Amino acid sequence: MAGSVFLLLLAGTLLCGLLFHTVSQNEAGDRTRPRRPNFIIILADDIGWGDLGANQQAGQRSSQTPHLDLMAQQGMRLTDFHSPASTCSPSRAALLTGRHGLRNGVTHNFAVGSVGGLPLSETTLAEILHQGGYYTAMIGKWHLGHNGPYSPTNRGFDYYLGIPYSNDMGCTDLPGYDLPSCPPCYPGPQILHNSCYTKVALPLFENRTIVEQPLDLWSLTQRYTSTALNVIHTARERGQPFLLYVALAHMHVPLSPPSYAPHPSEGGVYAASLREMDGLVGAIKNASDASDKENTLIWFTGDNGPWEQKCQYAGSVGPFLGKWQTSRGGGSAKRTTWEGGHRVPTVSYWPGRVPANSTSSALLSGLDIFPTLLSLAGVNPPSDRRFDGIDATDVLLHGKETGNEFLFHPNSGAAGKYGDLQTIRLGRHKAFYITGAAEACGGSTGRQELHDPPMIFDLSGDKGEETPLDPTTEEYKEVNERVRRWREALLYDIATDQSVSTADYATDKSAAPCCDPRHTACRCHTLAAVA
């Protein structure tokens, strides 16, 4: 009996040893495999191409973005990068789906009382990466639907902290700087003041719960920063690849820089807000560097250009002034398809992978973020739909200038029908089928004008879009023919796409996010702690 027991114990010991050896070998093998990269997308709101210090020419105004300038010095500055649309919701929907608004259904902004959001038939970048084993978190402005299945945690994000739409779409107790200035959330009957939202206070969500209403704009940056650092630290502890999408409130009005001191040399409120935004970006970069910088791609960009009608509270478009339009009245930035409306400051940073101190003039778009990150993660996109972006891996990692051959800029609230593709970029040329109808600082809008044949500019020698090509020249005729073919091909592709979605833009007062409808402006009296 004793001999039998001994043999059983010996066999068990040998089996355990074999299993341990096998597991150790597997773990060693796993350690030799390339780790999947982490991704941090930082999306600024209403930021101008000229706001980035690294984009300014020597001798121009002093830089307010030292952290971003350092990131550009240590990474790559993308000088011909464009937002997918020139206003909030369509730009964000395109970034997260890799599809134009005419495909994903989001062609204009959702409202406080919107019932729907990004169509549920659409698949987001977060959903795909989550299914591929990534931890996914979002901080900041969502603006793709806040009710039920449309909220971020139902669209692929494991965690969310932020505002469901723009930070001017609700009252606060201490309003920030805006034009016109907006009143606080009054304790008594609400009075509609110009374009200000006064009936529902601005809410702060954590996951699906309102934790503060109205939120405190002046401490929001600190809250976002601490949450972002916590996400990076938590993901590091998990040993799991992560996607962190930070959709900033900066530089959208109302501006609320806590350190603002009204001194002319500091550049005013906007410059102070720009410095605050830059500090947040720097904190995220430093935390990433301390955690896993060799395996983390940070991609900073903007959702559209500056909101020109906000005057001193709007950013700089740099040399992209849209002079043809401004000389006739009207704006040439946000909501328009002039360069100032969609050419945005963009920096990519990944030590050891993205070449340091490099600049690329490849023609790229926020539509390209979706396919590029999936490619780097080794995850395939859904095969049941068509996409509009390209994989920009060779541009980011190998210094190639293989960007888009063409880009389409959708109508975004100025001239024309929402979402229509009536402005086309083809190489150095840009064609407009429609212009006008955007408000400038001072209130002028300029009349809407149709152009048939299109008005074409050569951006290589006319960044300010001042003088169109003469339609009688051979250059114009050749470009016009190519533009016509590309436009017809894309519109046919969309028309025959069986995966096209339709967004529900219906509104209802009951759909507005409200912490406690018994109180004025839905004010919360008991606040949950935010992690």
Side-chain angles (χ1 to χ4, degrees):
M1 173 68 82
S4 298
V5 172
F6 173 76
L7 289 173
L8 286 171
L9 290 173
L10 178 62
T13 301
L14 290 172
L15 180 60
C16 288
L18 179 61
L19 288 172
F20 176 79
H21 180 69
T22 302
V23 170
S24 298
Q25 280 190 324
N26 288 339
E27 290 176 347
D30 287 341
R31 285 194 295 268
T32 61
R33 295 176 188 168
R35 289 185 298 146
R36 288 184 294 173
N38 307 311
F39 304 119
I40 300 176
I41 303 171
I42 305 176
L43 186 71
D45 200 341
D46 289 3
I47 192 167
W49 189 92
D51 288 341
L52 178 65
N55 280 345
Q56 298 171 15
Q57 295 181 348
Q60 289 185 317
R61 56 192 174 89
S62 60
S63 173
Q64 307 295 334
T65 59
H67 295 288
L68 273 166
D69 296 345
L70 177 61
M71 196 161 84
Q73 184 180 1
Q74 296 173 339
M76 177 180 289
R77 187 167 57 99
L78 299 162
T79 59
D80 203 353
F81 192 96
H82 301 260
S83 59
S86 298
T87 194
C88 308
S89 296
S91 185
R92 292 156 200 273
L95 185 154
L96 289 174
T97 64
R99 287 154 58 88
H100 278 301
L102 289 183
R103 293 192 204 270
N104 66 40
V106 181
T107 58
H108 54 289
N109 288 342
F110 292 104
V112 172
S114 283
V115 173
L118 176 67
L120 302 180
S121 53
E122 291 297 311
T123 303
T124 71
L125 174 65
E127 288 176 283
I128 300 171
L129 289 177
H130 182 271
Q131 293 166 3
Y134 273 70
Y135 175 71
T136 56
M138 180 186 172
I139 298 168
K141 173 179 170 179
W142 175 237
H143 215 167
L144 293 174
H146 49 269
N147 283 296
Y150 298 100
S151 62
T153 53
N154 286 318
R155 305 311 300 265
F157 290 100
D158 293 305
Y159 177 80
Y160 172 64
L161 174 74
I163 308 172
Y165 30 65
S166 298
N167 56 328
D168 65 339
M169 294 172 67
C171 62
T172 59
D173 287 337
L174 295 172
Y177 296 90
D178 198 353
L179 189 68
S181 58
C182 291
C185 294
Y186 291 119
Q190 297 300 294
I191 302 172
L192 187 62
H193 177 79
N194 295 324
S195 58
C196 301
Y197 292 79
T198 57
K199 294 186 177 181
V200 178
L202 192 64
L204 180 69
F205 276 78
E206 184 175 30
N207 297 322
R208 302 175 195 177
T209 303
I210 297 175
V211 294
E212 188 176 345
Q213 191 172 14
L215 60 80
D216 178 13
L217 285 173
W218 302 87
S219 63
L220 188 61
T221 299
Q222 183 178 355
R223 213 163 198 173
Y224 281 180
T225 302
S226 62
T227 304
L229 303 193
N230 186 55
V231 167
I232 294 170
H233 175 75
T234 300
R236 171 71 171 177
E237 293 297 311
R238 287 170 176 257
Q240 184 180 6
F242 69 87
L243 164 69
L244 173 58
Y245 171 40
V246 184
L248 303 174
H250 303 85
M251 300 297 298
H252 199 294
V253 292
L255 304 175
S256 51
S259 60
Y260 172 60
H263 192 280
S265 64
E266 295 181 343
V269 173
Y270 192 87
S273 298
L274 200 55
R275 291 193 295 270
E276 183 187 44
M277 180 207 73
D278 182 68
L280 190 161
V281 174
I284 292 174
K285 175 183 178 293
N286 291 340
S288 175
D289 285 351
S291 176
D292 196 9
K293 70 177 181 179
E294 292 84 5
N295 201 46
T296 303
L297 169 64
I298 301 178
W299 199 325
F300 174 91
T301 188
D303 73 331
N304 50 249
W307 200 354
E308 189 177 1
Q309 71 187 69
K310 296 299 179 177
C311 300
Q312 71 267 31
Y313 302 136
S316 166
V317 296
F320 306 104
L321 298 171
K323 291 182 179 180
W324 187 92
Q325 184 64 65
T326 57
S327 67
R328 290 162 173 77
S332 62
K334 179 179 178 177
R335 299 176 65 234
T336 80
T337 56
W338 298 99
E339 288 294 290
H342 50 76
R343 190 184 290 232
V344 287
T346 305
V347 176
S348 65
Y349 169 78
W350 189 355
R353 300 296 302 277
V354 171
N357 199 24
S358 58
T359 300
S360 173
S361 59
L363 181 59
L364 296 175
S365 160
L367 286 162
D368 305 326
I369 292 176
F370 180 97
T372 303
L373 298 197
L374 292 184
S375 174
L376 291 170
V379 178
N380 293 322
S383 59
D384 62 345
R385 63 199 60 209
R386 301 175 188 175
F387 297 94
D388 295 300
I390 66 168
D391 179 0
T393 298
D394 281 344
V395 176
L396 298 184
L397 305 188
H398 307 301
K400 295 186 178 180
E401 294 292 323
T402 50
N404 291 275
E405 187 172 356
F406 62 89
L407 280 183
F408 287 79
H409 303 297
N411 299 343
S412 296
K417 181 181 177 182
Y418 286 125
D420 277 3
L421 302 172
Q422 293 183 278
T423 304
I424 300 94
R425 173 76 182 277
L426 188 62
R428 71 177 193 268
H429 294 99
K430 186 175 176 185
F432 291 82
Y433 285 89
I434 195 167
T435 56
E439 186 175 339
C441 174
S444 67
T445 57
R447 65 184 181 89
Q448 176 176 301
E449 293 188 49
L450 296 175
H451 305 279
D452 186 15
M455 183 167 60
I456 299 176
F457 294 86
D458 182 350
L459 298 181
S460 65
D462 188 11
K463 292 180 179 179
E465 295 171 299
E466 183 174 16
T467 307
L469 298 179
D470 181 347
T472 64
T473 63
E474 289 303 314
E475 179 184 6
Y476 176 93
K477 293 175 183 177
E478 179 184 349
V479 173
N480 182 36
E481 178 59 23
R482 293 177 64 207
V483 164
R484 184 190 63 78
R485 290 199 306 266
W486 278 113
R487 184 166 182 254
E488 287 182 357
L490 180 62
L491 293 178
Y492 178 79
D493 185 72
I494 294 174
T496 58
D497 185 352
Q498 298 301 308
S499 66
V500 167
S501 300
T502 302
D504 180 1
Y505 276 99
T507 60
D508 190 291
K509 290 181 179 179
S510 65
C514 188
C515 182
D516 191 341
R518 298 171 301 174
H519 294 102
T520 301
C522 298
R523 183 181 298 276
C524 282
H525 284 265
T526 302
L527 306 183
V530 178

